[in-house]
């Protein structure tokens, strides 16, 4: 977690970075802009080489031109995830770019990789598998067969694997087994770009660097915790992928479980990769495994129908490109989990995520137990609202505390008010994809923000009962685009006498409409 916009961060060690799947969107939209950002902040060693690999016809010059043309076209796109590209500095960066035309399944491709490493001033090499998941294990095994994963003094070899890491527990285990058969765990960097976001990383700092939180961070004071990832976008151009996976596979075992782990883990013995990842694995391993019947009872599934967002009509999921007209794939999921350890016994965790919801909002809402009502029984106060601590990941990054205050006037009337910290008020947050941090850490050998094999499998183990229950009963409830999910989700949390925290609630001093744009 060492990447910083500050010049105090050291330059990453030199290496050759191979990008498998170089013609894909991930490389041109996110990876190359992130590497360019690192270059501009002086965090890439002058000897770093970036080599794209794909079956598409091309050479060094055409690869550079293709990327430059794409980035220039993105310069005026307000929805582009990367920051603005300074094309005057681009030629200096482009000299690092090389291209290998080759088939991932052919031995000659790996001979070309070997020659590229031999021609490099460093023997360090990283292999980024920016390909379809079905190629992950095959490419790793071919790298192993070619001797490209062998490490030595002054020579590291690392493999970066994008999510999804399997599509269920069995496939995740199989992938880990194949990867670990050709390399050691310390060589594998399983990337979830969500962990590269500054506000996600700050969950740990907020918890463990501030003594006022830890005494309250347990089942004595916390009633329940909600973790929400709400999106206003639909499936866009991912219909073919999404219809085979759905919201649960796409978001729960990775993004939301990472937030769950960070908010619920025990304090690690040290702030390093081994200690932190061990605590994450223990936490996810402590999630109570539901039976199929319990999983069905403790979950809700929804699929967005046609509706209105920001005053504009939007189509339903089944009308999106590359989606089956009779699809039951969920675009919304809510589940209830419990963690069987001393800290969290009796505290339910509610996780939800959905597309085409009323607002874009990723947050952790920690609901404290209400204060005793006895002192107010003879007043106009008829009930006490619980205090919430909100850790907002996006779009209004910050931390907010809801508490009760007396409304001015001659009678005792209470109103919920907020006290908070907004990142933009204290820190300059330049445009970032989240990959800058992760690429820098991988080049530097820091695995703190990368998932370990046991963490991946523990996450899928918690999800598997829901997959089995839904396989037996694949129906999904409908919700109109612009709504905050199906009625069954409100029923899920309502059975426990609780309500969902409002999605997209505006924070003091923020402009929600502007943030949405």
């Amino acid at each position: 977690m060492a990447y910083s916009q500050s010049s105090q961060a050291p330059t990453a060690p030199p290496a050759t970075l191979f990008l498998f799947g170089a013609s894909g969107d991930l490389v041109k939209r996110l990876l190359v802009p992130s590497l360019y950002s690192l270059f501009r902040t002086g965090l890439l060693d002058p000897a770093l080489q970036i080599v794209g690999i794909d079956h598409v016809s091309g050479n060094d010059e055409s690869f550079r031109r293709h990327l430059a043309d794409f980035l220039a076209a993105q310069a005026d796109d307000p929805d582009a995830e990367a920051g603005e590209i300074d094309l005057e500095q681009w030629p200096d960066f482009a000299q690092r770019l090389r291209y290998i035309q080759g088939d991932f399944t052919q031995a000659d491709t790996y001979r070309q990789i070997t020659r590229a490493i031999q021609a490099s001033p460093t023997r360090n090499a990283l292999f980024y598998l920016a390909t379809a998941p079905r190629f992950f294990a095959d490419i790793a095994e071919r790298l192993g067969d070619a001797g490209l994963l062998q490490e030595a003094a002054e020579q590291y070899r690392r493999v970066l694997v994008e999510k999804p890491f399997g599509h269920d527990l069995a496939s995740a285990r199989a992938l880990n087994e194949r990867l670990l058969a050709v390399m050691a765990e310390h060589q594998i960097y399983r990337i979830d770009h969500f962990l590269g976001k500054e506000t996600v990383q700050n969950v740990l700092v907020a918890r463990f660097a501030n003594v006022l939180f830890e005494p309250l961070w347990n089942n004595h004071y916390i009633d329940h915790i909600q973790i929400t990832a709400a999106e206003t976008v639909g499936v866009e151009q991912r219909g073919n992928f999404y219809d085979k996976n759905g919201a649960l596979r796409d978001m729960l075992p990775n993004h939301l479980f990472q937030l769950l782990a960070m908010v619920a883990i025990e304090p690690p013995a040290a702030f390093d990769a081994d200690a932190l990842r061990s605590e994450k694995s223990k936490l996810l391993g402590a999630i109570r495994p539901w039976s199929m019947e319990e999983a069905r009872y403790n979950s809700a599934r929804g699929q967005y129908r046609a509706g209105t967002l920001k005053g504009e009509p939007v189509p339903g999921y089944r009308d999106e490109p590359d989606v089956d007209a009779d699809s039951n794939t969920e675009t919304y999921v809510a589940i209830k989990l419990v963690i069987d350890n001393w800290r969290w016994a009796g505290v339910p965790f509610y996780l939800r995520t959905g597309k085409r919801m009323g607002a874009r909002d990723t947050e952790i809402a920690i609901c404290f137990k209400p204060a005793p009502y006895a002192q107010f029984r003879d007043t106009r106060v008829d009930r006490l609202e619980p205090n919430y601590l909100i850790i907002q990941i996006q779009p209004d990054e910050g931390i907010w505390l809801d508490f009760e205050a007396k409304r001015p006037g001659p009678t005792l009337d209470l109103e919920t008010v907020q006290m908070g910290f907004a990142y933009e008020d204290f820190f300059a947050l330049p445009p970032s994809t989240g990959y800058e941090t992760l690429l820098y850490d991988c080049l530097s050998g820091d695995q703190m923000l990368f998932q370990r094999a046991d963490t991946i499998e523990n996450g899928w183990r918690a999800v598997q009962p829901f997959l089995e229950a839904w396989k037996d009963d694949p129906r999904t409830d409908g919700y109109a685009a612009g709504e905050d999910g199906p009625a069954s989700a409100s029923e899920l949390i309502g059975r426990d006498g609780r309500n969902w925290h409002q999605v997209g609630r505006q924070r003091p001093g923020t402009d929600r409409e502007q943030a949405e744009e």
Side-chain angles (χ1 to χ4, degrees):
M1 200 161 50
Y3 165 72
S4 170
Q5 293 289 333
S6 167
S7 60
Q8 297 177 359
T11 300
T16 304
L17 171 60
F18 295 90
L19 302 175
F20 285 85
S23 65
D25 273 3
L26 176 61
V27 169
K28 64 185 180 183
R29 288 184 182 275
L30 297 171
L31 299 185
V32 168
S34 298
L35 289 164
Y36 182 60
S37 177
L38 292 172
F39 161 75
R40 292 187 64 189
T41 52
L43 295 176
L44 294 185
D45 190 278
L48 178 78
Q49 298 294 307
I50 303 164
V51 182
I53 304 171
D54 215 314
H55 68 280
V56 177
S57 177
N59 54 34
D60 294 353
E61 194 52 44
S62 66
F63 183 50
R64 294 166 183 163
R65 187 169 58 252
H66 168 71
L67 291 172
D69 290 345
F70 176 81
L71 295 173
Q74 292 287 294
D76 297 324
D77 183 356
D79 295 324
E81 295 189 61
E84 183 179 350
I85 300 296
D86 183 349
L87 294 180
E88 290 185 4
Q89 293 190 28
W90 173 259
D92 291 338
F93 174 77
Q95 293 306 307
R96 301 167 179 266
L97 298 172
R98 303 284 186 271
Y99 187 76
I100 291 176
Q101 180 185 346
D103 189 319
F104 305 156
T105 66
Q106 299 300 311
D108 181 64
T109 300
Y110 300 89
R111 286 192 287 269
Q112 292 186 70
I113 293 173
T114 300
R115 289 195 291 270
I117 295 174
Q118 292 171 344
S120 171
T122 173
R123 293 294 180 265
N124 294 333
L126 303 93
F127 306 97
Y128 199 121
L129 310 188
T131 67
R134 66 180 183 275
F135 294 117
F136 291 168
D138 290 341
I139 293 174
E141 288 169 348
R142 291 182 180 276
L143 288 169
D145 292 342
L148 290 166
L149 298 179
Q150 295 177 5
E151 295 190 303
E154 306 298 323
Q155 173 184 302
Y156 71 67
R157 299 294 165 86
R158 297 167 186 160
V159 174
L160 295 82
V161 184
E162 272 283 341
K163 78 169 186 72
F165 314 108
H167 59 270
D168 58 14
L169 179 57
S171 59
R173 283 173 171 164
L175 176 59
N176 280 331
E177 287 173 2
R178 292 180 68 182
L179 294 178
L180 291 169
V182 295
M183 69 189 105
E185 179 64 46
H186 75 268
Q187 294 177 269
I188 306 173
Y189 288 70
R190 299 174 185 83
I191 286 187
D192 180 347
H193 75 275
F194 208 60
L195 289 179
K197 295 181 180 295
E198 291 288 344
T199 44
V200 174
Q201 299 170 48
N202 195 57
V203 176
L204 294 176
V205 176
R207 278 194 63 188
F208 300 129
N210 297 287
V211 71
L212 75 160
F213 289 133
E214 190 58 26
L216 308 178
W217 219 262
N218 54 62
N219 55 8
H220 296 296
Y221 297 98
I222 293 177
D223 178 77
H224 73 279
I225 294 177
Q226 300 179 27
I227 301 176
T228 297
E231 299 178 278
T232 56
V233 297
V235 294
E236 298 179 304
Q237 306 305 311
R238 301 175 66 217
N240 189 46
F241 164 82
Y242 201 89
D243 208 36
K244 295 181 178 65
N245 292 276
L248 185 142
R249 285 188 171 96
D250 190 41
M251 294 290 289
L252 263 292
N254 36 73
H255 294 347
L256 293 193
F257 273 21
Q258 288 303 306
L259 293 180
L260 170 65
M262 286 190 166
V263 80
I265 60 170
E266 294 299 313
F271 209 69
D272 61 30
D274 288 340
L276 180 63
R277 299 201 299 174
S278 292
E279 292 300 336
K280 283 186 176 182
S281 181
K282 286 194 292 185
L283 187 282
L284 296 181
I287 296 175
R288 183 183 301 172
W290 296 128
S291 66
M292 281 182 57
E293 187 61 34
E294 289 171 327
R296 190 176 295 111
Y297 181 78
N298 289 302
S299 65
R301 305 174 73 216
Q303 183 184 93
Y304 66 83
R305 308 292 193 236
T308 303
L309 267 171
K310 300 180 183 177
E312 297 292 331
V314 295
Y317 174 72
R318 294 176 182 177
D319 297 321
E320 299 279 17
D322 301 318
V323 171
D324 191 312
D326 298 318
S327 174
N328 279 318
T329 298
E330 79 283 353
T331 62
Y332 176 100
V333 59
I335 64 173
K336 173 185 173 181
L337 299 173
V338 295
I339 297 172
D340 289 328
N341 62 20
W342 281 21
R343 181 184 292 267
W344 299 116
V347 177
F349 288 75
Y350 302 96
L351 281 62
R352 60 174 169 166
T353 183
K355 291 189 174 295
R356 291 293 191 204
M357 294 177 68
R360 175 173 172 252
D361 188 6
T362 301
E363 68 174 30
I364 302 168
I366 298 150
C367 181
F368 292 93
K369 293 181 178 180
Y373 176 69
Q375 293 90 339
F376 297 93
R377 62 182 178 273
D378 296 323
T379 71
R380 290 164 51 92
V381 176
D382 58 354
R383 62 192 176 95
L384 294 176
E385 297 293 338
N387 302 129
Y388 274 96
L389 181 68
I390 309 299
I391 302 174
Q392 188 98 31
I393 308 301
Q394 59 184 13
D396 303 323
E397 296 91 341
I399 300 175
W400 314 91
L401 178 65
D402 292 359
F403 62 97
E404 294 301 295
K406 180 185 178 297
R407 187 183 299 123
T411 58
L412 182 62
D413 295 303
L414 303 187
E415 184 168 334
T416 300
V417 296
Q418 290 185 322
M419 178 170 59
F421 148 69
Y423 268 80
E424 63 182 2
D425 292 342
F426 290 86
F427 304 111
L429 289 176
S432 170
T433 66
Y435 280 93
E436 293 91 345
T437 295
L438 300 174
L439 288 166
Y440 179 84
D441 284 355
C442 189
L443 287 164
S444 303
D446 184 349
Q447 289 188 303
M448 184 180 293
L449 297 178
F450 299 86
Q451 299 194 61
R452 212 165 57 186
D454 54 347
T455 307
I456 295 290
E457 293 179 19
N458 282 342
W460 278 114
R461 188 174 293 109
V463 164
Q464 192 65 35
F466 298 100
L467 295 175
E468 296 294 334
W470 297 349
K471 183 179 180 181
D472 185 56
D473 182 7
R475 293 172 297 175
T476 52
D477 299 322
Y479 64 98
E483 295 180 348
D484 291 336
S488 54
S490 297
E491 294 167 3
L492 165 66
I493 196 169
R495 286 195 291 266
D496 295 337
R498 301 181 174 98
N499 297 300
W500 289 112
H501 193 255
Q502 181 183 343
V503 170
R505 181 178 174 189
Q506 188 166 344
R507 307 295 168 205
T510 65
D511 186 340
R512 171 68 63 180
E513 185 174 347
Q514 182 179 356
E516 284 288 311
E517 295 174 355

